[in-house]
Amino acid sequence: MRSTAQIKGHPLHPILIAFPVAFGVAAPTADLVGVLGAWPTVWATGAYLAVAAVVSGLVAGVPGFIDYLYTVPPNSSAKKRATWHMGVNLTALALIALGWAFRDPDTLRPGVGTILLEAAGLGVMTVGGWLGGTLVYRNQIGVDHRYADAGKWTEETVAGAPGAGVDVGAADELKVGQMKLLHANGRRIVLARTEDGYAAYDDRCTHKGGSLAGGVLACGTVACPWHGSQFDAKTGAVKAGPATEPIRTYRVEETGGRVRLILPPA
Ligand code: FES
């Protein structure tokens, strides 16, 4: 699923998290070395590194939160994992920030509580990183894994009265095997062009909520990118598991070189 907070397809969140991780490692290290060696400049450096860890973590969280809202499929296992990822990392930053309370206000000398909280924050941040890695490497959040001839990732918002047809593009906009994600009256619907004409179906895989718009469409079958469930693009029937429930499909009409989606009830 292509990241929303990206530059030329490069997701910003993974780029920025290098900073809080680096500062998060360096802060307790400098504090410990400073105290053990009785070097005030080293522990003062640790204090500034702790501030840098918290600030850069919050900055890195901004594109992460944008992807959380707009890229991670709703009602999916990845959404739950992403919620944990966010909560765990915010906890890590809070622990590091709390360590400041145990510093001497004049010399910035860290107390035992400072070093313990910074180390705990680093440990919690590692768990957050593990969850983030699962989001990328298993759920493919931010990974643009489009196959040859799949075309560019396309999204469009359409609206209309329930039961009415709404124009969703020219008949030749998509090639056979290509898909477009529609946000229609609050629903995520995939418009797909098969060898047998246009089809439309829910963007949500019935197994664990994978985005089918990010999957593969071939020979009238759409395959989920997460665990490989396959569905008939026209009927929604399951062709291969692990999914057992069909996906919902929608009526599509092709007239006068235009494609119309019949919007479902809200
Ligand atoms: S979410 Fe598991 S196969 Fe789609």
Side-chain angles (χ1 to χ4, degrees), residues 144-196:
D144 195 355
H145 54 92
R146 298 177 69 68
Y147 49 95
D149 300 327
K152 283 190 175 173
W153 175 266
T154 316
E155 292 188 40
E156 190 176 326
T157 300
V158 295
V166 62
D167 190 293
V168 289
D172 61 357
E173 180 184 334
L174 298 179
K175 293 181 185 156
V176 170
Q178 293 184 347
M179 297 180 275
K180 174 161 90 169
L181 177 59
L182 301 172
H183 299 272
N185 287 3
R187 286 177 184 272
R188 291 165 65 107
I189 297 175
V190 182
L191 180 70
R193 188 171 180 188
T194 73
E195 289 79 355
D196 193 26

Side-chain angles (χ1 to χ4, degrees), residues 77 205-212 224-231 241-243:
S77 58
C205 172
T206 53
H207 179 224
K208 290 194 175 181
S211 167
L212 296 175
C224 176
W226 284 1
H227 313 98
S229 290
Q230 296 179 12
F231 304 91

